[in-house]
Amino acid sequence: MTEASATRVPRVLQRVVFPGADLDIVPLYVETHMDRGAAELAAEIATEQLTGRKAAGAGSVPVANAAVGEAQSVIRFGADVPGYLAESAGPRRSAVISEGRRVSFATYFNAFPASYWRRWSTLDSVTLRIRLAGESTIVLYRSTARGFSYPVETINVSSDEPETIERTLPLTPFIDGGWYWFDIVAGPRGSTLIEADWLAVAEPKPASTLSIGITTFNRADFLLDLLRTLGDSAELQDILDNVFVVDQGSNKVTAHPAFADATKKLGDKLQVVEQGNIGGSGGFSRAMDETLRAGQSDYVLLLDDDIKVDPEGIVRAATFADLARRPTIVGGHMFSMYDRSLLHAFAEAVMPHKFWWGIAPNTKGRHDFARRNLRNTPWLHRRADSDYNGWWMCLIPTQVVREIGLALPVFIKWDDAEYALRARAHGYPTVSMPGVAAWHVPWDDKNDARDWQAYYHLRNRIVAALLHSNEPHGGAVLTESLERQLQNLLSMQYSTVALRLIALEDVLSGPDHMHREIRTKMPELRALAAEYIDARGSADIESFPPPRRRPPESVKDNATPTNKLNLLTKAASGTARQFRKPRKGAAKRPQMALPYQDASWFVLVKLDSALVSTADGATAAWYQRDRKLFRSLGLRSLVLHRRLRRQWAKLAAEYRAAAPTFTSPEQWRETFAASLDQPPPGQ
């Protein structure tokens, strides 16, 4: 053994854990149905062989409830584990496997994502350490970037006393993708898994620590649940310096009757900072700044207030960041709070030409692990590289914050994506790390691109493009924006169009407006939207006149464009129709009531009025066609987009020159102080 290797010490990279009492997420931790998703995979392969195209359809596969029932009959963990095991290894570490049954740890939380460690860390090998008792067979597997898997070694164990098995495995063949995992087949007497870890030898260094920053706005119940989880987590206590809760709401979390009990285990580590509502970017910037000023932590972990989190993932994120080749932003994936095994995206990217966010190449959105496991989903084995990670859960080295500053002063939207693009320009990558995740309320039942938030979607996208796009005129940003304006006009969504026009005007005014108006803009936008009838929603459907007729079942199918020519024809004919008078009586009662999912522009363009529900199903609004608004808003849209295109290069230079100032802690501190000068606006 060389002197250098003798100084290296074992370090746990990730522990094998079980989900506790939440049975809906069992398939994310342990797999008892190794063929889950195999039929769907076989159907896809057959389709590809016949057509030469990748298939997108879903076959008949088991669902979450089947996974839960199967698991309960095969493996016991948590409260069902004998007490001595829970005490020796922790309540989430041990499990008893029924005689003759097989379980696999080829799962999201417990397989080892070898390709991520191979690409981004300093390690060249990983060691699997398993401690178990009873008669069993351990089958160790690895996979390739193409999703092929095969056994590496089979290990037989037969001992009533606890036995420890260790195997050191190379990371060399995992440049493009691949995982390690193991299965356990219990013998006639059953098998007990006491604990298992993936670890590696690394250079000794002082333990890194982190602070957690949470921005909250009138969500005390969600927030207190999250704080309880953090306080109850024994594994976090050695690495946690502070929890900064930035409260920007009118209903202060400290006034909640459960606050004292929910936070007692955090003790002095919890610091509640109250400030005016300056949005998510303002709250997270405050948490970053408080972390810098405290001077204790190596990392700041940003968390949304309305999430659930597995603390094991926080420890994994900090460990990965410690062993990364260079300072690295480590992001957590987002699962649905409602469909608990449903993954939002495996990695996210900003498409350079469109300058719009979306799932990364070679990945798929909304993957359900309860329907299809890791073993039978080839694309999950290819390493997915992220341009950014959402700030529902994102760990950022304080070194990066000191160098590149705080978030853009954008209130909401694009702050996380822009920050990662800025970090990348300084040589700091973002890694969305498997096994690090949060459960978040999904966006399926929202469409915030239509309400007052439409302003921020467009304004911030353009600002980010001005700062980072290398395409002339920002690529397709302005073209797509103008197309969206036409779609909203054809849909009678005049409030959305007006909000987006304000966004264009503010961008053209230069970067100084961003800090100056961050506190006051949102209430102004809500007031402006309320001037338009399409934004005046009501929860009482009976408050509207009854629609003249029900929509035929085929209304959406018959109207959906089938090709680009068909789409352009519908847009042209719909535009020409806007210059004709609306039908008589369209302003007295809606022609038709449409569910949100059926209210596409190519449906609405055929109507003169419609009662349309919102995405969350809570309210509905009465859209009415207005020729004057169509002409005036449409003309302003053309003029402003033309101005922005003409001035793009000049504005890009202005925003890039100003960016170091408006993202600096000094500038933000002035905004923090100013946010308290007036009472928070009602919301």
Side-chain angles (χ1 to χ4, degrees):
M1 179 181 294
T2 66
E3 183 177 347
S5 62
T7 63
R8 303 175 78 189
V9 295
R11 180 164 184 179
V12 174
L13 307 181
Q14 67 178 58
R15 308 179 310 161
V16 171
V17 292
F18 293 94
D22 189 347
L23 296 180
D24 287 338
I25 57 175
V26 167
L28 299 178
Y29 292 84
V30 61
E31 179 59 77
T32 57
H33 190 325
M34 268 57 72
D35 289 334
R36 192 181 316 281
E40 186 175 356
L41 175 60
E44 287 185 5
I45 293 173
T47 300
E48 289 178 24
Q49 291 174 341
L50 288 173
T51 65
R53 299 178 181 177
K54 289 189 177 295
S60 175
V61 292
V63 295
N65 289 337
V68 172
E70 176 76 8
Q72 289 175 317
S73 66
V74 174
I75 185 170
R76 292 180 290 134
F77 48 82
D80 293 331
V81 173
Y84 80 93
L85 288 178
E87 292 172 3
S88 62
R92 298 184 57 209
R93 303 298 312 280
S94 304
V96 177
I97 304 166
S98 303
E99 61 275 9
R101 305 306 293 266
R102 178 172 184 161
V103 298
S104 176
F105 294 91
T107 58
Y108 174 84
F109 276 110
N110 284 325
F112 184 76
S115 64
Y116 291 81
W117 288 93
R118 169 68 168 86
R119 170 65 180 88
W120 299 111
S121 82
T122 58
L123 303 181
D124 54 19
S125 64
V126 62
T127 297
L128 171 63
R129 180 176 63 195
I130 308 176
R131 188 165 177 253
L132 72 173
E135 183 178 357
S136 59
T137 300
I138 303 168
V139 186
L140 179 59
Y141 287 90
R142 61 150 294 195
S143 67
T144 69
R146 298 180 65 189
F148 299 129
S149 61
Y150 55 87
V152 175
E153 184 181 359
T154 300
I155 306 165
N156 294 308
V157 178
S158 181
S159 174
D160 291 332
E161 296 298 319
E163 183 173 344
T164 300
I165 306 296
E166 290 192 7
R167 292 294 186 272
T168 298
L169 307 162
L171 294 178
T172 306
F174 293 96
I175 287 180
D176 296 323
W179 302 63
Y180 279 122
W181 68 83
F182 63 94
D183 292 2
I184 297 179
V185 184
R189 301 195 305 273
S191 180
T192 300
L193 174 64
I194 300 172
E195 60 184 336
D197 304 282
W198 298 92
L199 62 156
V201 291
E203 299 296 331
K205 56 177 291 190
S208 296
T209 60
L210 59 87
S211 288
I212 295 175
I214 307 170
T215 301
T216 189
F217 185 92
N218 295 344
R219 286 181 177 144
D221 290 333
F222 275 112
L223 174 65
L224 293 180
D225 282 344
L226 176 58
L227 295 179
R228 285 189 192 94
T229 299
L230 299 177
D232 288 342
S233 173
E235 59 265 39
L236 282 183
Q237 302 316 308
D238 290 339
I239 65 170
L240 182 62
D241 291 322
N242 297 291
V243 177
F244 295 108
V245 172
V246 184
D247 190 347
Q248 301 184 144
S250 53
N251 300 321
K252 299 303 181 184
V253 65
T254 52
H256 194 284
F259 176 79
D261 180 69
T263 62
K264 62 185 178 183
K265 290 186 179 180
L266 289 173
D268 293 340
K269 292 183 177 182
L270 176 64
Q271 299 187 40
V272 178
V273 180
E274 296 180 358
Q275 66 183 23
N277 184 19
I278 48 178
S281 67
F284 286 128
S285 288
R286 184 64 180 267
M288 292 178 183
D289 190 47
E290 293 291 338
T291 301
L292 290 184
R293 295 174 68 157
Q296 298 172 274
S297 302
D298 300 282
Y299 310 107
V300 55
L301 175 70
L302 304 181
L303 298 177
D304 268 347
D305 59 349
D306 57 345
I307 65 167
K308 291 184 181 296
V309 66
D310 187 331
E312 169 69 18
I314 297 176
V315 178
R316 292 179 184 181
T319 303
F320 186 81
D322 275 353
L323 298 174
R325 296 174 186 270
R326 60 184 63 85
T328 298
I329 297 173
V330 183
H333 292 126
M334 189 186 91
F335 283 86
S336 170
M337 188 77 80
Y338 304 139
D339 298 321
R340 309 269 287 154
S341 57
L342 189 68
L343 177 67
H344 165 62
F346 201 51
E348 297 193 83
V350 176
M351 295 167 277
H353 184 62
K354 290 184 177 181
F355 212 84
W356 186 243
W357 50 40
I359 61 172
N362 304 305
T363 67
K364 298 180 182 180
R366 295 178 55 77
H367 178 76
D368 190 349
F369 281 91
R371 298 181 60 212
R372 190 166 178 181
N373 62 25
L374 174 65
R375 192 188 302 253
N376 291 312
T377 312
W379 65 265
L380 285 170
H381 295 255
R382 181 171 179 167
R383 192 190 72 248
D385 294 336
S386 296
D387 288 337
Y388 74 97
N389 197 95
W391 281 356
W392 49 76
M393 183 181 189
C394 191
L395 181 138
I396 305 173
T398 50
Q399 174 183 335
V400 174
V401 180
R402 281 191 294 269
E403 181 174 339
I404 74 171
L406 310 183
L408 280 183
V410 293
F411 196 79
I412 53 172
K413 311 298 181 188
W414 278 92
D415 45 357
D416 46 15
E418 188 282 329
Y419 198 88
L421 295 178
R422 196 190 331 158
R424 185 176 65 185
H426 284 76
Y428 303 122
T430 294
V431 176
S432 294
M433 189 65 186
V436 178
W439 286 266
H440 193 287
V441 176
W443 297 300
D444 304 43
D445 293 333
K446 299 180 182 179
N447 188 355
D448 53 23
R450 289 186 185 175
D451 61 16
W452 58 271
Q453 297 174 79
Y455 167 91
Y456 294 105
H457 274 289
L458 180 59
R459 195 275 305 262
N460 300 349
R461 178 188 182 189
I462 293 175
V463 168
L466 287 167
L467 291 171
H468 299 290
S469 176
N470 295 318
E471 301 268 348
H473 311 294
V477 170
L478 299 182
T479 301
E480 285 200 348
S481 173
L482 195 56
E483 290 175 357
R484 180 63 59 85
Q485 289 289 80
L486 178 58
Q487 292 173 9
N488 291 136
L489 286 169
L490 295 176
S491 301
M492 302 174 283
Q493 295 159 354
Y494 303 115
S495 63
T496 303
V497 175
L499 292 166
R500 288 165 53 85
L501 289 174
I502 300 298
L504 296 173
E505 290 173 346
D506 283 352
V507 170
L508 285 162
S509 73
D512 289 346
H513 80 277
M514 299 178 70
H515 269 289
R516 184 180 65 241
E517 299 181 0
I518 192 171
R519 170 73 167 155
T520 59
K521 199 69 183 186
M522 184 268 289
E524 293 176 3
L525 297 172
R526 294 174 68 105
L528 172 67
E531 295 176 7
Y532 295 85
I533 190 171
D534 62 276
R536 299 172 196 162
S538 173
D540 182 9
I541 298 298
E542 296 294 327
S543 66
F544 299 102
R548 291 185 177 277
R549 59 190 176 94
R550 294 181 178 180
E553 293 296 327
S554 60
V555 64
K556 186 175 179 181
D557 293 337
N558 290 344
T560 303
T562 55
N563 53 55
K564 188 172 183 178
L565 178 60
N566 187 222
L567 184 147
L568 292 174
T569 300
K570 288 180 181 293
S573 62
T575 301
R577 185 174 176 276
Q578 300 301 312
F579 295 92
R580 299 200 301 265
K581 288 183 179 181
R583 293 181 178 90
K584 290 182 179 180
K588 294 182 179 180
R589 55 190 296 193
Q591 290 177 265
M592 189 178 291
L594 287 170
Y596 164 79
Q597 60 268 32
D598 291 340
S600 303
W601 71 265
F602 36 81
V603 174
L604 291 170
V605 73
K606 296 184 175 183
L607 303 173
D608 291 322
S609 71
L611 186 61
V612 181
S613 59
T614 53
D616 61 5
T619 62
W622 185 3
Y623 294 3
Q624 298 181 33
R625 185 161 70 85
D626 188 314
R627 292 189 299 166
K628 290 183 179 179
L629 282 177
F630 181 89
R631 288 196 297 266
S632 63
L633 294 174
L635 180 59
R636 282 180 62 198
S637 296
L638 289 170
V639 170
L640 288 175
H641 280 87
R642 183 177 179 183
R643 279 184 59 196
L644 188 52
R645 179 180 178 83
R646 190 168 59 246
Q647 298 180 34
W648 186 271
K650 172 177 171 291
L651 287 168
E654 289 180 6
Y655 278 86
R656 293 182 189 195
T661 299
F662 63 62
T663 60
S664 68
E666 294 76 19
Q667 178 70 72
W668 266 111
R669 286 167 193 165
E670 293 181 13
T671 299
F672 300 150
S675 74
L676 293 173
D677 288 346
Q678 52 184 309
Q683 192 144 250

